[in-house]
Amino acid sequence: GYNTIMDILQAGAAAVVVPFAGGAEVEQSLRARLLAAQGWIELVEESALSPVALAQAIDRAAARPAIHPNVSAGPNVPPAPA
């Protein structure tokens, strides 16, 4: 949920996110798509979840350099220099 995403962003951790999409839930999917578009997480939609899709997302996340976004400034702000 929201707190997990905030923890991931604050830590700059590589992450694969499978948002809950049951019922009328759209908030997690919307947030995950926005963060994936910025390159901060790897996203696997619940409807596309399979062992292969998950393994591929894990490989992509593990290969990506660490990202340390300025969470308080928003997603359009480039990462702070290391």
Side-chain angles (χ1 to χ4, degrees):
Y2 180 81
N3 289 331
T4 300
I5 290 294
M6 294 309 295
D7 289 342
I8 290 166
L9 294 175
Q10 285 183 320
V16 175
V17 173
V18 180
F20 175 71
E25 182 68 43
V26 295
E27 179 184 345
Q28 288 187 13
S29 294
L30 176 61
R31 184 180 301 112
R33 286 185 198 119
L34 292 170
L35 293 171
Q38 295 295 321
W40 292 355
I41 63 167
E42 287 296 326
L43 169 64
V44 178
E45 297 284 358
E46 189 175 1
S47 61
L49 185 60
S50 71
V52 171
L54 184 58
Q56 290 172 340
I58 291 168
D59 288 343
R60 288 191 306 270
R64 170 180 298 169
I67 297 174
H68 299 284
N70 183 346
V71 175
S72 64
N76 293 321
V77 175

